[in-house]
Amino acid sequence: MRTLNLHQLATFQIVAKHSSYVRAAAELHFSQPAVSAQIRLLEESLGVKLFETIGRKTHLTRAGEELYLYSQKIFFLIDETLDSMDALRSPHYGRLGIGADTTFGTYVIPGLLGKFHKLYPNVQIELEVVNPEYLIDALVHNRLDLVIMGNYAVEVPVFVAPVLANELVLTAPPTHRLAERRAVPFLELSREYFLVREPGSGTRESLELAFHEAGIPLQVSMQMGNNSAIKQGVAAGLGIALLSRVALDIELEIQRLVILDVEGFPLVRQWRLVHLQQKHLSATARAFKAFLLQQVDQRLSAAPHTSQGTHTRRKDASL
Ligand code: PGA
């Protein structure tokens, strides 16, 4: 293999810069014979003469001029390479690929990313907000660094940590027949029609499970692929819905929607931070993980540990 000795090349560059072996030796803190020996070895390995001495002056030969141009490019690239490796060791640079399920990704993570961005303004964040089924696929195939989701039923070893409790509430327009009632029995829901999320949604899974456990059929009026469409549909009187409390702040404030007080609700799921156990997290991803775990909301602190992808009910719930 042909090689180029970088140490000799660096010496060559300094001799060329000064057009003098003596001044190069002074800069390098070597003896002049040591510098000459380096240049001779380089000339031998390349098979060309790099300097010629005319009178008392040292000049670059044609080959020397050419090598000087290349040496500048080579050392520039080496600098760039070292900068890039430094950046990868630092949490302040680089790319962060994260994924979140539809609800967390829409209503919780933007605020968290705003705070993270203030601390790490140069990190390039790429966020995927998608259905949990897609998230699991992206996680398992190593397309994302970290994901936040309510379900971590994956077949590979993963790191899992609770991030936030997800209270799922029944919502309806203020004019709904159950809006003013308190402690409505679950059985009353058998008369209601529901707007539900798409298959694969954790919210939908919890609703179906609650009805299954109560032994009553779930009547679906319409399936809609996102929370905003469901809120519009509920407000328009198309049915009631189970939605995350975090998705309802504005609608509750302007009294466009209300939360129904039905026994057994809210259902509580748990959002979790998940990454592949074997994943080598970059410094940036490690910084985000630490940041997220620090931010675990005190008000909605972690719910009791639940089995994967399922929910718990309030202790006082009766069906
Ligand atoms: P979803 O997920 O927004 O897709 O329903 C939420 C969850 O799994 O808790």
Side-chain angles (χ1 to χ4, degrees), residues 42 51 65 96 116 145 165 203 213 266 273 293-294 315:
L42 183 61
F51 294 101
E65 281 171 7
L96 177 64
F116 183 76
D145 294 322
T203 312
E213 285 174 358
L273 170 69
L293 296 180
Q294 268 168 17
K315 283 207 178 65

Side-chain angles (χ1 to χ4, degrees), residues 101-103 132 150-151 166 197-198 201-204 227 269 271:
D101 65 38
T102 318
T103 307
N151 189 343
N166 178 13
R197 288 273 308 279
E198 75 287 357
S201 146
T203 312
R204 174 172 173 156
N227 292 324
R269 282 171 70 82
W271 274 306

Side-chain angles (χ1 to χ4, degrees), residues 3-16 24-25 27-31 33-43 45-46 50-51 67 71 74-75 78:
T3 57
L4 184 57
N5 182 310
L6 286 179
H7 181 60
Q8 292 166 3
L9 191 64
T11 306
F12 162 79
Q13 232 197 2
I14 293 171
V15 178
E27 179 175 334
L28 290 165
H29 304 293
F30 292 158
S31 67
V35 171
S36 303
Q38 290 286 319
I39 299 299
R40 216 170 25 253
L41 286 172
L42 183 61
E43 287 178 331
S45 80
L46 296 173
L50 297 170
F51 294 101
L67 183 65
S71 71
I74 288 168
F75 286 112
I78 288 176

Side-chain angles (χ1 to χ4, degrees), residues 136-137 139-141 149 151-158 274 276-278 308:
I136 289 174
D137 189 65
L139 181 76
V140 170
H141 292 100
M149 58 183 177
N151 189 343
Y152 62 99
V154 289
E155 284 167 6
V156 288
V158 282
V274 186
L276 292 179
Q277 194 82 63
Q278 286 185 323
Q308 57 192 33

